[in-house]
Amino acid sequence: MTINFEVNGARRIFEGDPFKRLIDVLREDFALTGTKEGCGEGECGACTVLLDGRPVNSCLIPICQADGHRIETVENLGIPERLSALQKAFLEEGGAQCGICTPGMLLAAAAHLKAGGKADDLSIRRALGGNLCRCTGYQHIVKAVQKAAKAPRKPRRKKA
Amino acid sequence: MRGDAFSMRVFRPASPAEAVRLFAQNPDALPLAGGTDLMVGWNSGRLNGRAVLDLSRLEEWRRIEVTDEGARIGALATHSEIESHPVLLKRLPLLAEACATVGAVQIRNRGTLGGNVANASPAGDSFPALAVYEAFVHTVSKEGRRSLPILEVFAGVKRTALRPGELIERIDVPFLPQPPARQFFRKVGSRLAQTISKAVGAGLLWLGRGGVVLGCRIAFGSVAPTVRRLRSVEECLHSGRLTPETIEKACAALSSDISPIDDVRSTRLYRMAVSRNLLRAFLTGRA
Ligand SMILES: Cc1cc2nc3c(=O)[nH]c(=O)nc-3n(C[C@H](O)[C@H](O)[C@H](O)COP(=O)(O)OP(=O)(O)OC[C@H]3O[C@@H](n4cnc5c(N)ncnc54)[C@H](O)[C@@H]3O)c2cc1C
Ligand code: FES
Ligand code: FES
């Protein structure tokens, strides 16, 4: 089956098994290894990507369901030389330790802030409720998101 | 074992008519909506070699339509769409609230109401609300269309009354003729997000002059193989006043309406106690 979709702003074509999981297509076919697999059952959120701007678990999506849709992975948030305010805040606040949960946390948090979500403790914890972290104890992650919420918005690159 | 993509056959109908035709020709195919139940099973390797009928292109079934009588919720409407729908929030708040407690945002962005119903888990969080609103599940197959009262859809743990080749196309939820005096939805789990209910309940209560109970509908989930309307409790309350004695009688009647079990998430005793507390809180006006 041929799947036409958009990944991080670029048109992509995938030819292969329609039931290959989105996470495996991203990692194996497009070398986007920022997206991590934790549980493979929808519980941990390590595999979170944005589908048409909304956080979803890429371990639960067969690639056929991405046909005609827009996917964003952590690679789209920023690059080491030019990090997003959210990524900077995670570094500064100690929001990342081993890093396995971080891509998912960043995308879930980015979607929450972009959608105009509130920056109080409870709202952030609710928005990140589907993302487990075994290292930080969450406190630093919440602080990082709050810090990013206060940062002035940088003008973003125009999408194709 | 893991899911083996190579072993799967996938149908991707572009219209409901095509979906029905393909399902009639392939009655063993597994319908796929948001995949938040199905893909968990698939990832574990249990569904290898199966055919899948992917419904996700059926835009017609994604819509939420509001009429004078109620809401027609397409089977593919997601929990996120329902919890944020302005009319549902106002007119069917218990359903909107229930959908808002499903999983976490990633699950709600994919998981559908039709998939929740078809999966028929004893802990399906939308069911008590659908039961007190007396929703109808509309199905379609090569044989034609059916409309089933929500309580008749569930045949047991993870079993429905759906026939081979039959799909849920939408769920109709009538608006209430009179606004209730009191209503409640509560989900009890071990944490706020991503939690499977130990008990989940919804209730509506209409009161007349002098506090006489004119009507009441209460339903609980996770405390029996399928969602239960509390018929004995409702009968206890009808036409009387909510005196402490009546309330205690109603709470005692609860044990004939539900049959909780011990499992990994909780115990029979805990579920019974927490259900009784939820009921008492509702009837005394504390919930
Ligand atoms: C981490 C996690 C947390 C969860 N938390 C909750 C929770 O808190 N509360 C809760 O109630 N559920 C929860 N669930 C279960 C699940 O998300 C919901 O039941 C969801 O509504 C299922 O919808 P879906 O579209 O993803 O179904 P799918 O997985 O696509 O399908 C589920 C089943 O229904 C069948 N089916 C789907 N659509 C139709 C249709 N239109 N006609 C006929 N058959 C159909 C499929 O063949 C399959 O058997 C959770 C799941 C996960 C993975
Ligand atoms: S790997 Fe997808 S949710 Fe855990
Ligand atoms: S930083 Fe290690 S799991 Fe979150």
Side-chain angles (χ1 to χ4, degrees):
Chain A
M1 203 178 268
T2 307
I3 309 295
N4 286 286
F5 65 139
E6 193 187 298
V7 181
N8 296 339
R11 290 269 186 87
R12 295 288 193 170
I13 294 171
F14 168 80
E15 296 265 5
D17 295 326
F19 227 66
K20 189 166 184 177
R21 301 179 309 171
L22 175 58
I23 184 172
D24 298 328
V25 171
L26 292 171
R27 293 178 55 89
E28 295 167 8
D29 296 81
F30 297 121
L32 293 167
T33 52
T35 306
K36 307 298 181 204
E37 178 160 11
C39 62
E41 31 186 78
E43 291 280 348
C44 75
C47 66
T48 300
V49 300
L50 305 185
L51 187 148
D52 299 335
R54 290 165 160 262
V56 297
N57 294 317
S58 61
C59 72
L60 298 183
I61 299 182
I63 192 66
C64 60
Q65 291 196 327
D67 192 38
H69 293 276
R70 190 161 49 86
I71 304 295
E72 289 162 77
T73 68
V74 69
E75 285 87 350
N76 202 42
L77 282 183
I79 52 172
E81 300 75 42
R82 201 173 59 238
L83 294 175
S84 69
L86 188 64
Q87 288 169 311
K88 261 196 219 124
F90 264 64
L91 281 178
E92 290 161 9
E93 294 298 322
Q97 287 186 26
C98 81
I100 287 287
C101 73
T102 313
M105 286 285 180
L106 286 168
L107 287 168
H112 175 68
L113 295 179
K114 192 155 182 221
K118 292 198 203 124
D120 62 285
D121 204 83
L122 187 64
S123 303
I124 292 172
R125 283 175 192 273
R126 264 185 201 280
L128 300 181
N131 296 80
L132 296 183
C133 175
R134 299 288 81 177
C135 303
T136 65
Y138 301 100
Q139 205 64 33
H140 300 289
I141 291 177
V142 174
K143 273 203 195 130
V145 179
Q146 280 169 337
K147 186 168 192 177
K150 287 191 210 116
R153 281 275 171 90
K154 267 196 296 185
R156 300 239 316 156
R157 274 181 295 144
K158 270 243 167 79
K159 288 240 182 65
Chain B
M1 265 271 265
R2 300 213 50 172
D4 171 16
F6 181 69
S7 74
M8 306 300 286
R9 265 205 313 156
V10 181
F11 301 107
R12 302 205 70 220
S15 69
E18 192 188 352
V20 167
R21 186 172 52 75
L22 284 168
F23 204 13
Q25 288 162 358
N26 304 276
D28 291 334
L30 301 162
L32 171 69
T36 59
D37 277 311
L38 191 141
M39 291 303 289
V40 175
W42 186 75
N43 281 342
S44 74
R46 265 185 281 133
L47 304 176
N48 283 338
R50 298 290 300 265
V52 170
L53 183 70
D54 178 9
L55 306 175
S56 65
R57 290 168 73 197
L58 310 183
E59 285 305 318
E60 297 90 332
W61 289 6
R62 200 170 289 285
R63 280 185 220 131
I64 299 176
E65 272 169 31
V66 175
T67 67
D68 288 346
E69 289 83 49
R72 299 165 153 219
I73 304 178
L76 298 177
T78 62
H79 296 292
S80 293
E81 283 156 1
I82 295 169
E83 71 174 297
S84 61
H85 192 285
V87 179
L88 302 192
L89 273 166
K90 213 166 125 213
R91 307 283 310 265
L92 302 169
L94 303 180
L95 180 62
E97 225 182 301
C99 291
T101 70
V102 170
V105 65
Q106 290 93 332
I107 297 293
R108 295 195 294 277
N109 281 339
R110 295 297 292 170
T112 64
L113 191 62
N116 200 220
V117 170
N119 197 53
S121 154
D125 282 321
S126 69
F127 309 163
L130 292 175
V132 297
Y133 287 133
E134 301 185 339
F136 284 85
V137 175
H138 288 254
T139 69
V140 59
S141 71
K142 209 178 105 232
E143 269 66 57
R145 294 194 144 79
R146 294 202 290 161
S147 166
L148 302 167
I150 182 74
L151 294 176
E152 287 174 26
V153 170
F154 304 114
V157 174
K158 297 231 159 193
R159 285 193 301 118
T160 66
L162 292 180
R163 297 172 183 155
E166 196 171 28
L167 293 166
I168 299 177
E169 57 177 342
R170 63 169 209 271
I171 295 159
D172 282 7
V173 193
F175 293 143
L176 300 171
Q178 300 289 329
R182 271 189 223 163
Q183 53 190 329
F184 94 105
F185 169 82
R186 264 301 286 282
K187 167 171 172 173
V188 179
S190 30
R191 58 185 281 247
L192 212 56
Q194 216 84 299
T195 196
I196 300 178
S197 294
K198 297 169 196 269
V200 53
L204 297 163
L205 185 69
W206 290 267
L207 297 174
R209 218 180 288 163
V212 173
V213 175
L214 294 181
C216 114
R217 302 180 193 168
I218 310 174
F220 275 33
S222 266
V223 287
T226 63
V227 63
R228 285 293 160 80
R229 266 291 285 274
L230 308 185
R231 302 285 185 194
S232 331
V233 171
E234 291 177 8
E235 205 166 298
C236 263
L237 296 168
H238 208 273
S239 310
R241 269 171 239 280
L242 291 175
T243 60
E245 294 74 40
T246 323
I247 291 175
E248 280 322 300
K249 226 175 79 199
C251 288
L254 183 64
S255 54
S256 40
D257 287 329
I258 64 176
S259 50
I261 57 163
D262 292 325
D263 69 9
V264 287
R265 273 182 292 283
S266 189
T267 64
R268 185 180 63 81
L269 278 176
Y270 176 85
R271 286 189 161 108
M272 193 52 107
V274 87
S275 302
R276 199 173 286 123
N277 290 346
L278 290 181
L279 179 63
R280 189 179 290 113
F282 176 49
L283 296 178
T284 52
R286 285 186 286 111

